Amino acid sequence: MSVWGKLFGSVAGFAVGGPFGALMGGALGHAADSGSLLNPKSGGFSERFAAKGRPDPNSAAFFAAAKIAAALGKNDQLYAIGLVALCAKLAKIDAPVNRAEINAFKTCFQFPPDNVREVGMLFDRARDRTDDFEMYAREMGKAYTQDKTPLEHLLTALFRIARADAGKTQILHPKEIDFLKRVHAAFGLSASAWERAESGQTRAQPNSNGFDAYRILGLSRSASDQDVRQQWRKLIREHHPDVLAQKPMTDAQRKKAQDRVAQINAAWDQIKRDRQL
């Protein structure tokens, strides 16, 4: 199997909300190796059903791989395909894809280093067309009827990508809002899931021992890398030993303040590891 095909047999660690590994294999890997994903044969259904008046073989092959994965019950493969497709199409929905959106995508999902180039190629192909995103979302919604958590995590990541180029106002483009609402509906998620995803507060926030780095820093998981770094520095300045030494405190209060500094630094260290900062 070629490197391109091996990509879809590798594990893509999901950085938003936990280790939802995406096994990119099977149908998509075979399509990639055989060349039918990027260079599909003529005469297929993509040439019979034109996209906006012209053949669209790449998008057709891409979605065909998703359909095959769904039909075979390969939910991990479907999730991997849908993940890349939805992120790419959201980034393109309001304007040409920019570096901030690409960086947000890379921050949300961690792929094997040897496969980053192939993931990028897949991302680029997926963004060629944006009017078909609901097809992927519907397939994923049907596949994950029993456990919606992976879909909620993906919606959280989509919000983060949408906000990546929103500036200080963090106001989303109307097309991005429409995209997110339609994906939310196609996923079959609840209103509370929308609220959690919008605020960056997914269900599985704390780690196994209850430590929640973002809560300790007073941030949502959708905060940018710069915001996280600035908040950490702000809190450290406020709780610096030199500052605390100037305040009258009991031994118990001083111990509590020292513990707070330790928590702030531990939270920053965890986020740095998770985001590879």
Side-chain angles (χ1 to χ4, degrees):
M1 181 179 285
S2 68
V3 174
W4 173 256
K6 286 181 181 178
L7 163 67
F8 304 105
S10 301
V11 174
F14 189 29
V16 178
F20 284 92
L23 300 179
M24 297 185 172
L28 188 55
H30 175 73
D33 277 342
S34 64
S36 60
L37 178 62
L38 300 183
N39 299 291
K41 298 178 181 179
S42 61
F45 74 86
S46 63
E47 294 189 359
R48 299 191 187 97
F49 298 95
K52 294 186 176 179
R54 55 182 171 80
D56 187 14
N58 287 323
S59 292
F62 200 93
F63 184 66
K67 288 288 289 184
I68 293 172
L72 295 176
K74 303 292 186 179
N75 287 358
D76 287 337
Q77 294 173 22
L78 172 62
Y79 189 81
I81 298 167
L83 181 156
V84 178
L86 291 176
C87 290
K89 294 174 189 297
L90 172 65
K92 181 69 177 295
I93 196 70
D94 61 327
V97 179
N98 58 57
R99 178 53 55 184
E101 291 167 323
I102 293 175
N103 288 342
F105 173 70
K106 291 179 178 179
T107 299
C108 289
F109 309 102
Q110 297 174 4
F111 300 94
D114 292 342
N115 298 137
V116 170
R117 178 177 177 273
E118 287 84 356
V119 173
M121 292 173 65
L122 196 58
F123 186 95
D124 289 341
R125 290 299 185 185
R127 67 179 176 176
D128 284 345
R129 180 177 176 180
T130 61
D131 63 340
D132 59 346
F133 68 89
E134 279 183 290
M135 297 193 300
Y136 294 90
R138 282 195 293 267
E139 289 296 329
M140 297 174 76
K142 289 186 290 185
Y144 286 87
T145 56
Q146 299 301 315
D147 181 11
K148 297 288 187 180
T149 305
L151 301 184
E152 184 174 330
H153 288 175
L154 178 51
L155 185 63
T156 302
L158 291 172
F159 265 106
R160 183 171 180 179
I161 293 170
R163 289 198 177 101
D165 61 344
K168 293 183 179 180
T169 65
Q170 292 291 283
I171 297 176
L172 301 184
H173 191 282
K175 289 185 177 180
E176 292 176 318
I177 296 174
D178 178 67
F179 182 107
L180 292 166
K181 286 183 176 179
R182 288 160 68 179
V183 167
H184 171 261
F187 279 175
L189 295 173
S190 65
S192 57
W194 170 274
E195 293 173 358
R196 285 191 296 270
E198 186 178 27
S199 65
Q201 303 295 323
T202 54
R203 291 180 183 178
Q205 293 178 70
N207 61 17
S208 58
N209 62 7
F211 183 79
D212 184 354
Y214 290 90
R215 179 183 58 79
I216 289 171
L217 295 184
L219 296 167
S220 73
R221 287 177 175 263
S222 61
S224 68
D225 293 344
Q226 182 179 0
D227 288 342
V228 174
R229 192 184 300 272
Q230 289 177 344
Q231 179 69 355
W232 168 69
R233 288 173 174 170
K234 174 177 177 290
L235 291 175
I236 287 298
R237 284 196 301 269
E238 292 175 354
H239 296 81
H240 193 277
D242 292 343
V243 175
L244 298 179
Q246 299 175 16
K247 298 180 180 180
M249 287 185 176
T250 64
D251 290 343
Q253 289 174 327
R254 194 170 301 280
K255 177 64 167 59
K256 184 177 180 180
Q258 292 170 345
D259 290 342
R260 173 64 174 153
V261 171
Q263 282 189 327
I264 292 169
N265 282 324
W268 167 239
D269 288 340
Q270 179 177 310
I271 294 174
K272 279 198 301 182
R273 290 194 302 270
D274 290 345
R275 297 192 178 193
Q276 298 183 329
L277 299 177

